[in-house]
Amino acid sequence: MSEAPKPPAELAPWEREPAAPQWQEAADDPVALALGEALGEALVSARTFAGDLTLEVRREAFRSACAALKERHDFTLLVDLCGVDFPKREERFEVVVHLYSFSANRRVRVKTAVGEGGEVPSLVPVYPAANWPERETWDMFGIRFADHPDLTRILLWEGFNGHPLRKDFPVEGIDTGAAIYPEYYEARQGPIAGTGTGWKVKNPPAAAPESGPEEKK
Amino acid sequence: MNGNAPTGEPLFGLREMELNFGPQHPATHGVMRLKLKVDGERIVDCYPIIGYLHRGTEKLFELHPFFQNVPHTDRLDYVAAATNNLAYVGAVEKLVGLVVPPRARYIRVILAELQRISSHLVWLATHAIDIGAMTPFFYCFRERELILDLFEQYCGARLTLNSMRPGGQPYDLPQGWVERCGEFIAEFPAKVDEYEDLLTENRIWKRRTVGIGVLPPETAIAYGVTGPMLRGSGVDWDLRKALPYEAYGEVEFDVPVFHNCDTYDRYLVRIEEMRQSARIIRQCLDRLPDGPIMAKRPRVLKAAAATEAYHAVEGPKGELGFYIVGDGSTNPYRCHVRPTSFMNLQALPEMSRGALISDLVALIGTVDIVLGEIDR
């Protein structure tokens, strides 16, 4: 690489600084147009990012929007369903579902917002594949899905205290022993994940905030 | 006390019985429990209980910068680490707009296809041993060992490879690696013939797999099943062809599809996929371009605020995807794994209804589950 630096136009894409993709309005996308006609106000926005169409819909229309995508646009495969937590928003959770159409060979992302204690219509009647991902979303975020046939915890055990992928769930874990075995542990005296094998913890995080990182600064 | 019927009910009047299969059953390939409802030896219903291996990987992703998350992905599907790396770095690259140099793309395809072969070998070995065929296990692990040697020569690790970075590859291929890999690939199709000699026309193998666990294409799609299971159900769909990533658009290969939707056909799909993977690797080795292996990138990657990307690759087990949300910091705000085996396992109750308990062992094998990925 002893040559003089090349002008930017001659550089290969991998030699340039990475250019982050931008959000673009996609109201004229045929799928977004048709869905907008069917849903009206309930379709909040239609945008693309890095080539993926993202549709935001109101919570009440979540199932009907996905059903319309399945029936009319052949999005027959539910790829994935998950939650995201934005604690500062008015409705803190987002439920994100990815659908795929074999005939159009494209993916679409449908999102809806839901607040603490709110319910999202379950997609299981439309896509049986949504069963386990919705259980996982309930398990990890505490988002309820209305009409789900079996909304129980899936990765954690029944009786676990809390929803670990929420942003306010401490990484070092919480005392779950007392919640399950009240006859053995007093409150905040049970085993805590991530603190070794000790049965009792001297300074349980919730009981001793003065040992927290904020105080040390 | 009457020892036979402590509850006072007549013993032979019972028709349905609940039975726990696992969590420590050797055929569950890890720690998974199936709550079975059986009528005699027929399965009436099956309810999988998972989560014994949950490690909170998705929470861990949020704690580490984009580069440091690659090792976490190794531990998801731990027999296919390179594929997990590929899916994760692909998602990060899509999120921040990195373009990978051609040489790195080819190296990635070679690693991913070697990994596919090695994952299929583990599957074939354990699937066969579950059903009662001991010999293929030794044959498969013989070849897998050679692949792991190649991985070790490339990146120093055999299982948890940590072999890719957002933007390119951490290392170039070492001296002589292309030749060694070429030798292995030249010999490998003959080895696949050996496995086929043992199993494909074997009467016991066919009695145990033909017509077992029929999964019609509509049911497979409804339950989100992808990968070899979907292709064994007659759906011609492979992400490498449908939405080509890395260098897959530039190589020739066939996608095997079989239409009987049973365990035997899923076996045939995976066997043929190993041959096709060898074909892809051969082409990549021949055409391996020169040039850089890492794109120009900042030392610390930052995703712009309010961005999100989903990127999926065709893993050995099916579609493996990562959904990453960026918030302007150096860490992913949220990184969700679309776990292949998790979705495929959902179809197990559907496949096992009406089957015999001994068939259940074949059915768990045919789903090709890895609990590290299911439980995350």
Side-chain angles (χ1 to χ4, degrees), chain B residues 113-128:
Chain B
E113 291 306 314
L114 280 174
Q115 188 74 81
R116 183 184 317 278
I117 295 176
S118 112
S119 168
H120 281 3
L121 287 175
V122 174
W123 162 79
L124 181 61
T126 51
H127 187 39

Side-chain angles (χ1 to χ4, degrees), chain A:
Chain A
M1 282 296 197
S2 57
E3 300 159 31
K6 287 186 265 182
E10 286 178 27
L11 292 175
W14 51 87
E15 291 171 326
R16 292 183 211 141
E17 288 287 334
Q22 300 293 323
W23 284 103
Q24 280 161 351
E25 283 299 318
D28 53 347
D29 186 282
V31 173
L33 274 180
L35 201 66
E37 274 173 32
L39 297 180
E41 286 283 291
L43 179 67
V44 179
S45 74
R47 299 184 297 165
T48 57
F49 183 81
D52 289 345
L53 179 64
T54 305
L55 304 168
E56 246 178 283
V57 299
R58 293 237 171 96
R59 189 162 65 244
E60 314 80 66
F62 188 54
R63 189 190 295 155
S64 52
C66 292
L69 286 170
K70 185 185 180 190
E71 301 301 325
R72 291 189 218 150
H73 303 283
D74 202 30
F75 284 93
T76 44
L77 181 73
L78 179 127
V79 176
D80 187 26
L81 186 147
C82 69
V84 190
D85 182 14
F86 298 96
K88 286 174 192 159
R89 291 190 187 171
E90 196 177 330
E91 293 187 301
R92 67 182 282 189
F93 299 115
E94 225 171 42
V95 174
V96 185
V97 59
H98 288 85
L99 308 173
Y100 178 80
S101 159
F102 289 98
S103 54
N105 189 22
R106 70 179 292 192
R107 285 198 196 97
V108 63
R109 182 184 300 139
V110 186
K111 299 204 285 190
T112 191
V114 57
E116 178 98 55
E119 277 197 335
V120 180
S122 166
L123 293 186
V124 177
V126 186
Y127 297 98
N131 190 327
W132 284 16
E134 284 182 1
R135 281 176 65 191
E136 191 193 324
T137 309
W138 154 247
D139 196 358
M140 294 292 151
F141 291 94
I143 303 170
R144 292 205 148 269
F145 290 88
D147 308 328
H148 190 285
D150 175 30
L151 196 66
T152 49
R153 286 186 184 269
I154 185 163
L155 294 180
L156 301 165
W157 60 95
E158 272 314 320
F160 183 85
N161 186 12
H163 300 284
L165 279 183
R166 290 185 176 198
K167 287 287 173 186
D168 47 13
F169 188 93
V171 181
E172 64 273 17
I174 54 158
D175 172 8
T176 55
I180 309 171
Y181 305 110
E183 64 272 34
Y184 290 110
Y185 303 108
E186 290 170 20
R188 299 204 192 91
Q189 291 298 308
I192 294 176
T195 50
T197 52
W199 284 100
K200 296 226 172 179
V201 177
K202 280 182 186 164
N203 291 313
E210 63 271 15
S211 66
E214 294 89 350
E215 292 293 319
K216 277 182 185 168
K217 284 178 195 170

Side-chain angles (χ1 to χ4, degrees), chain B residues 73-81 84 119 316-317 341 370 372-373:
Chain B
T73 65
D74 290 335
R75 283 140 182 93
L76 293 170
D77 179 355
Y78 41 73
V79 300
N84 302 341
S119 168
K317 292 154 183 82
S341 331
V370 168
E373 188 192 34

